[in-house]
Amino acid sequence: MQLQTYIDKIVLFYNRATKWRVKEQAQLFNRLCVLMQEGYLFPQAISMLLPHHIEAHEDIQQQIDEKLRQGVGVAGIFETLQLGNHYLMAIKVAENNGHMIEAFKGVAKQITVSEKTKKKLIKLLIYPVTLIIFLLLLFFVFRTFFFAEH
């Protein structure tokens, strides 16, 4: 019984990390803003966008529909989509004051800036990390071949 629950947790983690992960989050929020400005309701807009941003969108759509039937808010829906807590806080505040479209635009900008920062950091760290790995490899080769004990 414990093995089955452990396997279920692993499968759930795998699905969250691969199949249920939102691709291009900033683009999702920008498109959601446009659709809501054009007059679509949130459930309609999110159901139109899910197939373009999630691999297993049928599963997520069922979960979202169930949460909407239960009366969960927009922040709860994005929690299902594994949006970061700092973004969820902005959406919760916007739910209370009614400025959802502006909040979605702000979240899209924040996600874009965050992605650019991550890319810059990776670019900056590639050279030092490869240099350290190369030097360690060189050290082990010299130690093995030139300083080997006979």
Side-chain angles (χ1 to χ4, degrees), residues 92-107:
K92 286 178 186 175
V93 169
E95 265 184 303
N96 291 333
N97 66 18
H99 299 289
M100 290 301 296
I101 295 173
E102 292 86 3
F104 289 156
K105 286 180 184 177
V107 169

Side-chain angles (χ1 to χ4, degrees), residues 23-38:
K23 300 171 191 160
E24 302 166 346
Q25 286 183 346
Q27 201 172 35
L28 171 74
F29 278 100
N30 284 326
R31 290 177 177 170
L32 190 61
C33 285
V34 170
L35 288 174
M36 289 181 72
Q37 284 174 338
E38 290 178 359

